[in-house]
């Protein structure tokens, strides 16, 4: 359900120096009025920015925030973040660092803040043109806004198409680990406390929960739908008839999986004609003219009894109902119950703004109870849906690759072409070399779809293409292949870029090390470019980060005159047709490790 991303702690720190790094931060964390630096989320969010800054990266911050609040104009936000970070943050009026940096006398030691993304329609529409402008001049994208992971935004998804490295920040990584932990079943009994309303939209989540939990505790408006499905008498105005079938399915699912269901046995109710009058009623005998506002004492006692021996608890959604009362304290009492359980090694995760706020009031809870403020992200995760913001950080996902369905013989040795473009080189190689399997990794999804159409059209059984940013996903994709990796080629990286000096940016240390690690002994690396400076840089980079395992084939001292495969890529043909030279080299991986 969740994938492995390239994270800040995994990315070589020295690769950050001098790079332009754009951080998509979470305004709900860093711009909170009561911004507590001891809070784990705040600490991780600030650490992401400070880590980049201290590593020598040129840091740009971008986010969205409430425009209706005067103190949240860009200058005020910059001052606020400066205070939190204890580093000068400079506001920039615009959404392109590349243009602004040329017109402003910007100090490299400062952190920059781009314009507020709120109410920019291109942001919500994930406009690729806006994403291109937003990421213009950026080398590394760092997503640290996990609360937006369920959305498709230009600043979280679109920009990953234009940045050569996409990394999960420390806060993002910590939130992701928390969600992964929710899927673990090692600690039992595991109970889910489920509040709020809108059961109809959340019903799909119960397949996930029922496969892991031993108990469901229903509170809030959701409880009335489950009670109705169980045959308990419920006031008609509290029943959501649209959700009746879903509630029945949940009851059947729980019974099939032997999951205990607990619903409120009594409620504090408010008299409609006199809001100051409160009375406790059994859940099946709520009198006319009275409205439930909170859990009753018997309900809280039963919940406490059920939770006493739990080793793992997740609480999602508010306890109170549509009508509430300031004179009842069911949610606070539940919070205190959980706080006591957390002291006894019970692993607790609280989800939702209201529940998290209550937990924060228990100061001793902060280090013992995990909190996820945005419940929408969690509900999407529980439904089994892939989170776009998570997928975008690792564009290879890396999804579960069924190599048996891709290749007729997945045991054959593998050839990988990084930046395969329109696939002409790889498709022709696959036709000529039936004893090898070929894989193209290309960031342009439209080109990949065309290549896959060609694979299908010509019945090629030993070739395949994946739309991904190979810089961050090469290792995760290729490491799962059952056969040997015998050849990797990188040919004319980014020929469409207007500035040749930008063409080397794909070759980061992380990619080179991944290639060298996975390449079989005596495996080959073929590099070529039509720009000599790019070819020289590629050669230097592979020697520098090749871990002492690479040699130029046959003691090669000059560029190779001919393409050793006899198969040319489309760009190579274009270059040769105009009479320009190609600069080629071939490395061989030895099994002997030498000191560099």
């Amino acid at each position: 359900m969740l994938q492995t991303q390239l994270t800040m702690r995994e990315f070589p720190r020295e690769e950050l120096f001098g790079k332009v790094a754009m951080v998509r931060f979470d305004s709900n964390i860093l711009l909170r009025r009561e911004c507590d630096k001891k809070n784990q989320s705040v600490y991780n969010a600030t650490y992401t920015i400070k880590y980049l800054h201290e590593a020598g990266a040129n840091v740009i911050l971008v986010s969205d925030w409430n425009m209706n609040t005067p103190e949240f104009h860009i200058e005020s936000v910059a001052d606020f973040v400066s205070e939190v970070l204890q580093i000068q943050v400079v506001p920039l009026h615009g959404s392109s660092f590349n243009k602004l940096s040329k017109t402003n006398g910007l100090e490299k030691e400062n952190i920059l803040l781009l314009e507020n993304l709120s109410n920019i329609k291109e942001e919500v529409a994930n406009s690729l043109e806006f994403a291109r402008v937003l990421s213009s001049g950026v080398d590394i994208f760092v997503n640290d806004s996990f609360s937006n992971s369920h959305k498709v935004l230009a600043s979280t998804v679109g920009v990953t198409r234009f940045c050569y490295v996409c990394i999960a920040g420390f806060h993002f990584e910590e939130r992701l680990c928390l969600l992964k932990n929710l899927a673990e079943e090692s600690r039992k009994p595991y109970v889910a406390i489920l509040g709020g309303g809108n059961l109809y939209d959340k019903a799909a989540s119960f397949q996930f929960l029922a496969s892991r939990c031993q108990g469901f505790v229903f509170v809030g408006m959701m409880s009335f739908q489950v009670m109705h499905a169980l045959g308990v008498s419920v006031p008609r105005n509290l029943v959501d008839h649209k959700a009746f079938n879903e509630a029945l399915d949940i009851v059947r699912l729980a019974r099939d999986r032997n999951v205990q269901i607990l619903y409120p046995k009594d409620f504090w109710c408010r008299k409609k004609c006199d809001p100051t009058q409160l009375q406790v009623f059994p859940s099946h005998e709520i009198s006319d003219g009275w409205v439930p506002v909170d859990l009753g004492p018997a309900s809280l006692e039963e919940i406490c009894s059920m939770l006493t021996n739990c080793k793992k608890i997740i609480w999602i959604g508010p306890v109170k109902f549509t009508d509430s009362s300031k004179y009842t304290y069911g949610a606070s009492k539940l919070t205190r119950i959980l706080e006591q359980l957390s002291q006894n090694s019970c692993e607790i995760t609280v989800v939702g703004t209201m529940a998290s706020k209550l937990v924060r009031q228990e100061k001793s809870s902060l280090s013992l109870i995990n909190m996820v403020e945005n419940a929408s992200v969690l509900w999407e995760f529980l439904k089994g849906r892939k989170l776009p913001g998570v997928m975008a950080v690792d564009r290879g996902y890396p999804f579960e690759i069924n190599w048996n369905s891709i290749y007729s013989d997945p045991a054959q040795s593998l050839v990988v072409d990084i930046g395969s473009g329109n696939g002409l080189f790889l498709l022709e190689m696959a036709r000529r070399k039936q004893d090898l399997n070929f894989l193209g990794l290309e960031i342009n999804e439209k080109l990949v779809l065309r290549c896959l159409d060609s694979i299908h059209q010509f019945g090629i059984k030993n070739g395949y293409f994946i739309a991904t940013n190979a810089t961050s996903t090469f290792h995760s994709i290729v490491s799962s292949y059952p056969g040997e990796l015998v050849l990797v080629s990188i040919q004319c990286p980014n020929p469409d870029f207007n500035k040749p000096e930008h063409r080397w940016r794909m070759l980061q240390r992380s990619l080179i090390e991944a290639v060298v690690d996975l390449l079989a002994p005596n495996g080959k690396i073929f590099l070529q470019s039509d720009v000599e400076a790019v070819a020289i840089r590629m050669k230097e980079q592979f020697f520098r980060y090749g871990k002492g395992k690479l040699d130029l084939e046959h003691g090669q001292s000059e560029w190779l005159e001919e393409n050793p495969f006899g198969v040319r890529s489309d760009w190579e043909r274009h270059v040769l047709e105009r009479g320009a030279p190609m600069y080629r080299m071939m490395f061989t991986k030895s099994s002997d490790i030498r000191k560099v």
Side-chain angles (χ1 to χ4, degrees):
M1 281 180 91
L2 287 172
Q3 301 79 31
T4 302
Q5 280 63 46
L6 180 64
T7 63
M8 190 80 75
R9 70 183 73 253
E10 296 170 330
F11 190 77
R13 183 183 172 96
E14 60 271 25
E15 287 288 316
L16 298 172
F17 184 81
K19 298 295 194 303
V20 177
M22 183 169 72
V23 180
R24 179 37 159 114
F25 71 91
D26 192 334
S27 59
N28 292 325
I29 294 173
L30 282 189
L31 302 186
R32 190 185 293 146
R33 282 192 178 92
E34 65 282 4
C35 193
D36 182 1
K37 296 179 184 179
K38 294 180 181 178
N39 179 284
Q40 190 63 44
S41 292
V42 175
Y43 175 82
N44 286 331
T46 55
Y47 185 49
T48 292
I49 301 168
K50 288 182 176 180
Y51 180 90
L52 288 163
H53 185 258
E54 291 168 3
N58 300 311
V59 182
I60 309 162
L61 304 180
V62 63
S63 190
D64 54 353
W65 55 85
N66 187 353
M67 292 189 69
N68 298 322
T69 309
E71 61 264 33
F72 278 168
H73 290 308
I74 187 169
E75 288 81 7
S76 301
V77 170
D79 290 342
F80 187 87
V81 178
S82 297
E83 179 64 26
V84 173
L85 296 174
Q86 293 296 295
I87 304 171
Q88 182 65 40
V89 176
V90 178
L92 297 178
H93 292 273
S95 55
S96 174
F97 159 78
N98 204 32
K99 293 178 181 178
L100 293 166
S101 62
K102 294 175 181 178
T103 58
N104 292 272
L106 302 175
E107 299 291 337
K108 285 190 175 182
E109 61 269 20
N110 291 336
I111 293 174
L112 310 178
L113 175 68
L114 293 184
E115 200 84 68
N116 186 1
L117 297 177
S118 289
N119 299 333
I120 296 180
K121 62 181 181 180
E122 291 84 359
E123 158 74 349
V124 178
N126 188 27
S127 162
L128 286 185
E129 178 58 25
F130 177 69
R132 185 190 64 76
V133 172
L134 188 63
S135 59
S136 180
V138 174
D139 299 301
I140 299 170
F141 170 64
V142 181
N143 193 349
D144 218 24
S145 182
F146 193 75
S147 67
N148 285 305
S149 293
H150 61 304
K151 301 176 183 178
V152 181
L153 304 174
S155 65
T156 60
V157 175
V159 294
T160 63
R161 294 171 177 265
F162 305 101
C163 299
Y164 284 83
V165 181
C166 302
I167 307 175
F170 291 111
H171 166 68
F172 194 102
E173 180 188 9
E174 184 261 335
R175 297 285 90 179
L176 191 61
C177 288
L178 191 152
L179 287 199
K180 288 179 179 178
N181 184 55
L182 291 178
E184 293 293 325
E185 306 171 61
S186 56
R187 294 175 66 87
K188 298 178 181 180
Y190 183 3
V191 170
I193 303 171
L194 303 154
N198 204 0
L199 179 64
Y200 180 83
D201 288 339
K202 297 169 182 174
S205 305
F206 285 85
Q207 288 285 345
F208 176 96
L209 292 168
S211 67
R212 289 159 174 81
C213 296
Q214 287 70 57
F216 291 159
V217 178
F218 288 97
V219 296
M221 291 301 294
M222 197 180 293
S223 60
F224 296 115
Q225 318 318 319
V226 174
M227 290 163 64
H228 183 53
L230 287 167
V232 179
S233 177
V234 178
R236 294 184 62 181
N237 64 308
L238 298 176
V239 175
D240 180 1
H241 295 283
K242 183 179 69 172
F244 180 68
N245 289 332
E246 283 69 22
L248 278 177
D249 289 341
I250 290 168
V251 170
R252 295 188 191 110
L253 177 65
R255 286 173 176 167
D256 291 343
R257 297 290 184 91
N258 198 29
V259 177
Q260 181 182 354
I261 290 181
L262 192 67
Y263 60 86
K265 300 304 187 295
D266 63 348
F267 296 102
W268 278 103
C269 297
R270 176 180 58 78
K271 198 168 186 177
K272 287 183 180 179
C273 61
D274 186 359
T276 62
Q277 287 196 42
L278 296 170
Q279 186 174 327
V280 176
F281 286 93
S283 58
H284 60 286
E285 294 180 357
I286 300 174
S287 298
D288 290 340
W290 292 81
V291 181
V293 294
D294 207 345
L295 295 174
S299 298
L300 285 167
E301 185 176 341
E302 189 176 26
I303 291 172
C304 182
S305 177
M306 181 180 181
L307 299 180
T308 298
N309 296 317
C310 285
K311 297 299 180 184
K312 192 170 184 175
I313 298 170
I314 178 173
W315 172 18
I316 321 172
V319 169
K320 291 189 176 183
F321 309 101
T322 304
D323 289 308
S324 60
S325 171
K326 62 182 179 180
Y327 302 110
T328 58
Y329 308 97
S332 298
K333 290 176 182 177
L334 179 58
T335 302
R336 287 195 289 272
I337 291 170
L338 296 180
E339 202 278 331
Q340 290 172 359
L341 290 171
S342 71
Q343 302 287 346
N344 296 322
S345 302
C346 180
E347 187 179 293
I348 298 172
T349 302
V350 173
V351 183
T353 304
M354 292 176 62
S356 296
K357 185 177 181 180
L358 282 167
V359 170
R360 281 200 188 88
Q361 293 172 3
E362 300 287 344
K363 296 299 183 183
S364 59
S365 304
L366 289 178
S367 61
L368 299 170
I369 296 180
N370 299 310
M371 288 180 286
V372 180
E373 292 210 1
N374 193 321
S376 298
V377 175
L378 185 76
W379 283 117
E380 290 300 300
F381 165 70
L382 295 177
K383 291 173 187 174
R385 296 174 182 171
K386 290 179 178 178
L387 303 176
V390 175
M391 289 169 24
V393 176
D394 182 350
R395 298 198 49 180
Y397 310 166
F399 41 69
E400 293 293 329
I401 300 175
N402 186 347
W403 298 107
N404 289 306
S405 67
I406 291 175
Y407 300 116
S408 58
D409 182 5
Q412 289 187 160
S413 296
L414 181 69
V415 174
V416 178
D417 187 32
I418 299 175
S420 51
N422 59 18
L424 292 183
F425 169 78
L426 214 65
L427 290 169
E428 182 60 29
M429 288 286 285
R431 292 192 191 97
R432 296 189 184 190
K433 298 284 187 179
Q434 297 290 323
D435 59 334
L436 296 172
N437 288 333
F438 294 84
L439 177 66
L441 303 179
E442 168 59 46
I443 200 168
N444 188 319
E445 293 180 18
K446 290 183 179 179
L447 290 179
V448 168
L449 289 174
R450 291 177 198 164
C451 291
L452 292 174
D453 285 343
S454 297
I455 290 282
H456 179 73
Q457 180 182 350
F458 297 112
I460 296 173
K461 302 297 184 182
N462 65 328
Y464 195 70
F465 294 84
I466 293 176
T468 185
N469 183 345
T471 302
S472 58
T473 65
F474 181 90
H475 192 280
S476 60
I477 292 173
V478 178
S479 61
S480 67
Y481 183 75
E484 284 191 328
L485 176 65
V486 295
L487 172 64
V488 174
S489 60
I490 302 175
Q491 305 183 52
C492 305
N494 309 310
D496 293 331
F497 270 46
N498 293 324
K499 296 183 178 180
E501 65 269 21
H502 285 172
R503 301 188 190 187
W504 57 266
R505 295 198 298 177
M506 177 179 67
L507 268 185
Q508 300 293 329
R509 177 178 178 174
S510 56
L511 174 60
I512 295 171
E513 290 183 343
V515 169
V516 174
D517 286 342
L518 296 177
L519 193 65
N522 300 315
K524 311 290 185 184
I525 300 172
F526 176 60
L527 308 174
Q528 70 170 345
S529 175
D530 58 313
V531 179
E532 187 173 18
V534 173
I536 291 171
R537 183 180 177 86
M538 287 197 293
K539 180 196 289 187
E540 291 174 347
Q541 293 285 80
F542 270 90
F543 270 131
R544 181 179 303 167
Y545 302 125
K547 301 185 177 182
K549 294 184 178 181
L550 299 180
D551 289 308
L552 284 170
E553 196 170 52
H554 308 307
Q556 173 191 341
S557 58
E558 302 293 332
W559 303 115
L560 294 175
E561 290 188 8
E562 298 292 334
N563 184 318
F565 306 108
V567 178
R568 295 171 178 170
S569 69
D570 184 58
W571 186 256
E572 184 180 2
R573 294 177 191 176
H574 172 73
V575 171
L576 295 177
E577 284 172 0
R578 70 171 190 251
M582 291 294 297
Y583 304 93
R584 310 180 180 94
M585 72 204 86
M586 182 83 80
F587 284 99
T588 301
K589 178 181 175 180
S590 74
S591 55
D592 299 325
I593 302 176
R594 303 177 307 279
K595 291 184 178 180
V596 182

